Amino acid sequence: MKLFSALRKYFALTSAQRQFISKGIWACNQPPSTIISFLRPLAAFDSDLDKGRDQLMKIGCGGLILSFVVAIMIGNEVIPESSAGIAMFLVLTLGVGSFIARWLLGSMDMHNNLRLFVVPLLNALQQDMAPGKNMIFKVDLRGKTCKSKMISQKHDNPGWFRYPKLSTYIFKDYWFSCVAPLVDGSTLKITIDDSVRQRKKTYSSSSGKTKFKTKIKIKSKITASLSMKTKIYNLDKTGPLNNLCDRLKVKDKNQRKAVGMTVCQISTSEDSVLEPAVCLNLVGKILMNAAPAKAKGA
Amino acid sequence: MENCSMKRGFFFLRPCDHPARRQCTLCGKPFCDEHLRIRPGKNEPACLDCLGKELQKPSRGSDYEDDLFEPGWSYGYRRSFYSGSHYRPWYIGQANADTSFDGHEVRVFDSESADDFDDDPNAEADGFDS
Ligand SMILES: [Zn+2]
Ligand SMILES: [Zn+2]
């Protein structure tokens, strides 16, 4: 049972890790190995918790089906009256208890972006970080529609008992950023900003019933920038990168050239997960485009 | 004792300079402690490259999600990344004519460029917008 494995992993976490689960936000300036050591047990816990909650869902459904079966058996006097009460109590406890446990454990569930995006991405970036250098890291998994992220709201209300009523909420979720000095002297910066539009509609159906509908649209802006030394790289020809992203930004500064590529992704669920390959591909394209500043043998 | 046979890195490959401790029971090459793990289910050491390759097998099925946070994941994933995104990794270190990585073509820095990697007194001036 994955639930017990999840609980074992939870009790093995440090208080700082448990605090991250409850707060959902964490920032630091530490060596990448320290950051990954902090996040990896959380990823393993979250994976087991997700599987455990799925199992509880199945057990809950099984318990409810079983209680119908038991009720029929009591009706047909297959189960004697003396044990009917206890049998019904047991199957109902199993069914309802599983749903309650599943719901309670929901508060410990972290967004799957942590284990399916953040940890594997850091795992890959760590390989190329300059030895002994820190990574500046921030992750915010408090949710895309938490109050503090709301930037505007609009309500169209035609009045009492008049429909449709429409509320639109706009949120900005800057949920991931990291700055990492790399082994070639470049500095890599990755940021992800989500613009979220949530629409809540109350309307009257053709049968006269009042219905509610919530729709969400998330536009994720994923940016990878590399500030590279012009002494090492020839970055004169960045034009072709324009066709490989939604926005290209090139900036000269202090014997360096910063090349930033942005791609946008749209999703319609708060639970959708980003793939680490999206960021790694952007970094790969910038590096593929760079030529050595000193031609070989020159 | 010879050095570890691992090529570190994802975008930039370079040799691991730690002394090798034991041999990988899968590829037979010697590796340092950092690049060896005990194979799950077997009491034998295997290198992160070999473990990573096992993690990338399609037969992993639903376990694949759990592999994403395993230390060996990026070692296996880098190969599919190079072929999937046509990325040619930079190679930092002594290169000979046939320097390649498991059949993946690499781009080699000359030694003069490599000297310039960490000679930046104002490393903080990274050129990003604040
Ligand atoms: Zn091996
Ligand atoms: Zn090694």
Side-chain angles (χ1 to χ4, degrees):
Chain A
M1 179 107 188
K2 280 288 173 190
L3 189 63
F4 296 120
S5 164
L7 290 175
R8 246 195 329 272
K9 283 178 182 161
Y10 180 79
F11 288 113
L13 297 176
T14 63
S15 60
Q17 286 168 323
R18 288 186 207 171
Q19 203 170 37
F20 177 36
I21 294 178
S22 59
K23 291 205 170 143
I25 187 164
W26 189 59
C28 71
N29 180 356
Q30 276 172 349
S33 55
T34 311
I35 299 176
I36 292 175
S37 305
F38 182 86
L39 296 178
R40 194 174 276 143
L42 289 162
F45 159 71
D46 186 59
S47 170
D48 279 0
L49 186 71
D50 284 355
K51 288 173 191 154
R53 289 185 74 220
D54 283 349
Q55 286 173 341
L56 282 175
M57 178 69 142
K58 286 176 191 154
I59 295 170
C61 293
L64 291 187
I65 294 168
L66 214 59
S67 54
F68 278 115
V69 176
V70 169
I72 293 167
M73 285 163 90
I74 294 170
N76 293 339
E77 294 177 359
V78 178
I79 295 176
E81 214 171 297
S82 56
S83 24
I86 189 117
M88 205 57 203
F89 173 76
L90 285 176
V91 286
L92 272 179
T93 310
L94 182 75
V96 177
S98 298
F99 283 121
I100 293 175
R102 186 182 182 280
W103 175 72
L104 287 174
L105 289 169
S107 64
M108 289 158 117
D109 195 5
M110 309 180 82
H111 197 289
N112 288 351
N113 266 331
L114 179 75
R115 62 185 172 92
L116 302 178
F117 170 76
V118 176
V119 177
L121 177 68
L122 297 189
N123 206 336
L125 297 182
Q126 174 195 26
Q127 309 298 330
D128 288 328
M129 275 194 64
K133 291 280 173 69
N134 282 2
M135 178 187 269
I136 303 170
F137 172 79
K138 191 201 108 181
V139 65
D140 178 351
L141 303 172
R142 288 176 295 167
K144 307 204 175 298
T145 52
C146 71
K147 268 230 165 100
S148 60
K149 295 177 186 175
M150 195 197 289
I151 52 165
S152 73
Q153 52 181 312
K154 203 178 115 198
H155 303 279
D156 292 324
N157 189 348
W160 284 88
F161 300 107
R162 296 181 69 178
Y163 301 103
K165 300 181 199 297
L166 183 70
S167 297
T168 308
Y169 305 88
I170 306 290
F171 303 86
K172 273 271 182 212
D173 186 19
Y174 301 96
W175 65 270
F176 178 87
S177 77
C178 76
V179 179
L182 301 186
V183 71
D184 66 333
S186 306
T187 306
L188 169 67
K189 184 176 183 182
I190 294 177
T191 56
I192 303 171
D193 314 335
D194 286 358
S195 302
V196 183
R197 191 188 66 196
Q198 188 185 46
R199 277 191 161 147
K200 291 185 179 171
K201 195 177 174 184
T202 311
Y203 62 102
S204 156
S205 71
S206 49
S207 60
K209 276 187 188 157
T210 307
K211 292 194 166 178
F212 307 94
K213 209 179 199 167
T214 300
K215 262 191 179 174
I216 197 161
K217 188 176 167 188
I218 302 164
K219 186 178 177 187
S220 303
K221 214 171 81 188
I222 303 130
T223 304
S225 317
L226 266 170
S227 163
M228 302 158 93
K229 291 183 180 178
T230 44
K231 209 171 170 184
I232 295 169
Y233 295 103
N234 175 352
L235 295 156
D236 290 343
K237 292 178 187 138
T238 49
L241 291 176
N242 256 316
N243 304 326
L244 303 173
C245 60
D246 294 314
R247 207 182 78 188
L248 178 73
K249 224 169 148 183
V250 182
K251 211 177 140 193
D252 288 294
K253 203 176 174 185
N254 291 342
Q255 298 163 26
R256 282 175 180 262
K257 199 162 191 165
V259 182
M261 286 176 87
T262 301
V263 285
C264 295
Q265 278 193 0
I266 306 278
S267 73
T268 51
S269 162
E270 270 197 80
D271 296 329
S272 61
V273 171
L274 208 61
E275 283 187 39
V278 178
C279 295
L280 296 173
N281 277 332
L282 290 179
V283 181
K285 282 168 189 164
I286 299 172
L287 286 171
M288 264 315 276
N289 188 259
K294 293 163 193 152
K296 258 202 118 174
Chain B
M1 185 97 191
E2 56 189 313
N3 266 1
C4 171
S5 314
M6 184 61 71
K7 296 278 179 285
R8 286 176 179 279
F10 191 92
F11 296 107
F12 303 94
L13 298 175
R14 62 249 183 235
C16 172
D17 51 7
H18 295 169
R21 298 267 180 217
R22 278 183 294 172
Q23 280 183 330
C24 166
T25 48
L26 293 171
C27 64
K29 292 181 199 162
F31 292 95
C32 70
D33 286 340
E34 185 193 330
H35 288 120
L36 279 172
R37 293 287 185 284
I38 296 298
R39 277 178 83 185
K42 309 217 164 92
N43 200 15
E44 301 166 344
C47 72
L48 289 180
D49 253 340
C50 289
L51 287 175
K53 278 184 210 165
E54 284 199 341
L55 295 184
Q56 290 292 312
K57 284 185 186 156
S59 58
R60 294 287 297 160
S62 62
D63 286 339
Y64 180 73
E65 282 200 351
D66 284 353
D67 297 338
L68 285 168
F69 46 83
E70 286 301 322
W73 175 80
S74 68
Y75 287 84
Y77 177 69
R78 57 185 178 180
R79 288 179 175 75
S80 50
F81 180 81
Y82 300 155
S83 20
S85 63
H86 308 289
Y87 181 73
R88 278 159 54 213
W90 288 101
Y91 187 82
I92 305 168
Q94 284 288 328
N96 49 37
D98 61 332
T99 296
S100 74
F101 175 71
D102 260 17
H104 296 281
E105 204 185 322
V106 298
R107 297 173 287 168
V108 182
F109 279 114
D110 59 17
S111 51
E112 218 180 309
S113 294
D115 291 342
D116 294 331
F117 287 169
D118 48 9
D119 69 338
D120 197 344
N122 340 298
E124 302 313 312
D126 54 25
F128 293 128
D129 291 336
S130 53

